[in-house]
Amino acid sequence: QVPVLDEGGNPVTGVLVNNTSSTSEFTSLGIAEKLGEFATLTTGSVDGTLARKSRAIDTQMKAGQSRLTQFDIRLAAKRARLERQFAGMEQAIASLQSQSGALGSISTIR
């Protein structure tokens, strides 16, 4: 049996591990160490999988927000153009109604 060492290299009291190899060092990681490495790879704050996914989602959200802003600008410009066209058509209708009234009064003069 081999004592388990802490991070400082000191034996942890009461913890022994069976080592079947001829050396006192282990050559492969146990399940807990493998899970620890996986957790570090997944949750690392700089290059972990979750951090990269989070940055990718943030980038996509910013791009989507930018597209929405551009769409709002185009929509406002189109609305203003349509309102101008509508006002112009209303003026044309008013002018035609006025001309119609004038032509109607000419026909009654005969």
Side-chain angles (χ1 to χ4, degrees), residues 71-87:
F71 179 76
D72 285 343
I73 290 169
R74 288 192 311 272
L75 184 62
K78 187 168 190 169
R79 179 184 178 121
R81 181 177 53 83
L82 290 172
E83 286 176 348
R84 284 192 306 273
Q85 286 178 346
F86 184 77

Side-chain angles (χ1 to χ4, degrees), residues 49-98:
T49 303
L50 295 177
R52 286 194 313 270
K53 292 283 186 185
S54 177
R55 284 192 300 273
I57 290 170
D58 287 344
T59 301
Q60 289 174 349
M61 286 178 58
K62 287 177 186 175
Q65 185 63 42
S66 177
R67 286 192 301 270
L68 282 174
T69 300
Q70 293 301 316
F71 179 76
D72 285 343
I73 290 169
R74 288 192 311 272
L75 184 62
K78 187 168 190 169
R79 179 184 178 121
R81 181 177 53 83
L82 290 172
E83 286 176 348
R84 284 192 306 273
Q85 286 178 346
F86 184 77
M89 286 188 286
E90 282 187 325
Q91 288 176 349
I93 289 171
S95 175
L96 289 172
Q97 286 175 338
S98 174

Side-chain angles (χ1 to χ4, degrees), residues 1 3-4 6 14 22 27 32 37 39-40 42-43 45 60 64-65 69 78-79 82 96-97 102 107-109:
Q1 291 186 338
V4 175
D6 65 12
S22 61
T27 57
E37 282 186 349
T40 301
T42 304
T43 62
S45 64
Q60 289 174 349
Q65 185 63 42
T69 300
K78 187 168 190 169
R79 179 184 178 121
L82 290 172
L96 289 172
Q97 286 175 338
S107 66
T108 58
I109 294 177

